[in-house]
Amino acid sequence: MTNEGALVLKQDRIEWPTIALAILIYGCWLAVTWCHALLPLCLTPVLGGWLIAWHNSLQHETIHRHPTGRRLIDGAIGAVPLSLWLPYSTYFRTHRAHHASRAITDPFEDPESRYLAHTQGGWGHILRAAEFLQSTLLGRLLLGPPITVGRFLVSELARGRKDPATLLRNWLPHLGASALVVAWLHLCGLGIGAYLLLFVYPGISLSLLRSFAEHRPAEAPEHRVAIVETRGPLGLLFLHNNLHAAHHELPGLAWYRLPAFYRQHRMRLLEANGGLLYRSYGELFRRFLFRPHDHLVHPDYGGHDTSPEIA
């Protein structure tokens, strides 16, 4: 990290905008779940999905030691399992490993890679079929949530066979906290099926929109991290993690400081990431709604060339 980068990180340890954001997200979630019966049915998945995706963005901030720099406090802020399916400790471990990896997108080295190695046999065919179904943006948004959750659960079962003690340490606190969330939903008269359909499903879908094009394989590791220059509501929803190359350069920089840092260093960041830039999520919709973003078998393991197309 540059000296300038180190200086940027010397900010106030209590990040009050992030604390205010956490209060807003949890307060709105409590209000929407409590008042769900009063809302128009068409509005519930919009609000519910937004809050689940926003909470996922908040969890991402807490993993990077925001808002206090104290792991127990930050973890307590982020660990409430509003989405029910992903243990916070597992997310913490895999995301920190993703940032530590020098082989981002490699299916064996990067735990957050969505790319596959070309494998033979029935399971290889199933994985490739599942990834093919979500290789377009439309498929990613509509089919990505169950595929993502299903693939994660299968990988957790495989991990449990190798290391059951660690799996239990991850899942027992998560299941206990999830039981409290479900108890609150029961108190609100919101069934678990309706909650999964109207809150969790659209929330995962929105989060997958952010991750759809943020990485691509490339020979140079720094060319694997994209930038989406969105503004307005989606930038706030993703807490500016769409400026992904900036986030990877300074993962300890608070979300509300990222836009100014990006504006100041835009040309240098684009030169460093090989120009892997999308002007907006509108561009992603125009280019990839019905067309695959890339080939999901990693080029180092039997795939085709996935050089990015820059408009």
Side-chain angles (χ1 to χ4, degrees), residues 11-310:
Q11 52 191 292
D12 294 338
R13 282 317 315 161
I14 305 299
E15 297 170 357
W16 295 109
T18 307
I19 291 177
L21 177 73
I23 294 171
L24 176 64
I25 290 172
Y26 285 119
C28 288
W29 182 84
L30 290 170
V32 172
T33 51
W34 182 259
C35 300
H36 72 278
L38 303 177
L39 298 173
L41 184 60
C42 61
L43 184 60
T44 304
V46 175
L47 295 176
W50 182 279
L51 289 170
I52 295 298
W54 216 6
H55 180 257
N56 177 254
S57 298
L58 174 66
Q59 288 184 308
H60 172 262
E61 286 294 298
T62 65
I63 286 171
H64 287 291
R65 302 290 197 260
H66 305 287
T68 71
R70 296 175 176 85
R71 181 171 176 177
L72 287 178
I73 297 175
D74 299 336
I77 292 172
V80 183
L82 298 189
S83 68
L84 297 178
W85 68 278
L86 178 61
Y88 179 80
S89 57
T90 302
Y91 184 21
F92 185 98
R93 173 182 56 82
T94 57
H95 190 68
R96 299 288 288 197
H98 165 72
H99 273 271
S101 175
R102 286 288 297 168
I104 291 173
T105 73
D106 187 295
F108 298 105
E109 301 293 334
D110 178 2
E112 291 191 353
S113 175
R114 65 190 183 96
Y115 293 90
L116 304 171
H118 184 80
T119 55
Q120 301 295 330
W123 181 240
H125 287 300
I126 291 171
L127 282 176
R128 288 194 296 277
E131 295 306 326
F132 174 77
L133 289 173
Q134 55 172 338
S135 60
T136 66
L137 183 53
L138 182 63
R140 184 83 161 162
L141 298 179
L142 295 182
L143 301 176
I147 291 173
T148 297
V149 174
R151 184 177 174 183
F152 169 73
L153 294 178
V154 168
S155 70
E156 287 293 277
L157 288 173
R159 186 166 71 94
R161 287 195 292 269
K162 298 178 181 178
D163 188 4
T166 300
L167 189 78
L168 287 175
R169 283 198 299 270
N170 294 153
W171 275 91
L172 288 179
H174 172 75
L175 291 175
S178 295
L180 295 177
V181 172
V182 172
W184 169 258
L185 298 177
H186 179 74
L187 183 64
C188 297
L190 180 56
I192 185 65
Y195 181 73
L196 292 174
L197 182 63
L198 300 176
F199 285 72
V200 177
Y201 200 113
I204 297 174
S205 184
L206 281 172
S207 295
L208 291 176
L209 170 62
R210 177 191 55 76
S211 65
F212 178 74
E214 69 184 14
H215 293 293
R216 292 191 71 164
E219 184 175 352
E222 58 273 17
H223 291 180
R224 301 171 188 176
V225 187
I227 293 168
V228 181
E229 289 185 326
T230 194
R231 298 179 181 178
L234 287 179
L236 181 60
L237 174 64
F238 301 142
L239 299 185
H240 307 301
N241 196 25
N242 48 283
L243 304 174
H244 210 57
H247 167 65
H248 266 264
E249 180 168 300
L250 284 181
L253 189 63
W255 62 274
Y256 52 88
R257 297 178 183 269
L258 266 174
F261 175 80
Y262 175 70
R263 288 192 298 270
Q264 183 178 359
H265 299 280
R266 182 178 185 273
M267 295 307 297
R268 178 180 62 78
L269 289 167
L270 287 174
E271 181 179 358
N273 85 334
L276 185 49
L277 169 70
Y278 303 96
R279 298 289 182 180
S280 68
Y281 285 99
E283 178 185 345
L284 289 177
F285 272 91
R286 289 192 300 272
R287 294 174 59 183
F288 302 117
L289 186 62
F290 303 110
R291 188 162 63 90
H293 175 255
D294 50 14
H295 189 71
L296 290 178
V297 175
H298 196 280
D300 291 344
Y301 300 98
H304 304 303
D305 177 44
T306 56
S307 302
E309 300 173 327
I310 304 301

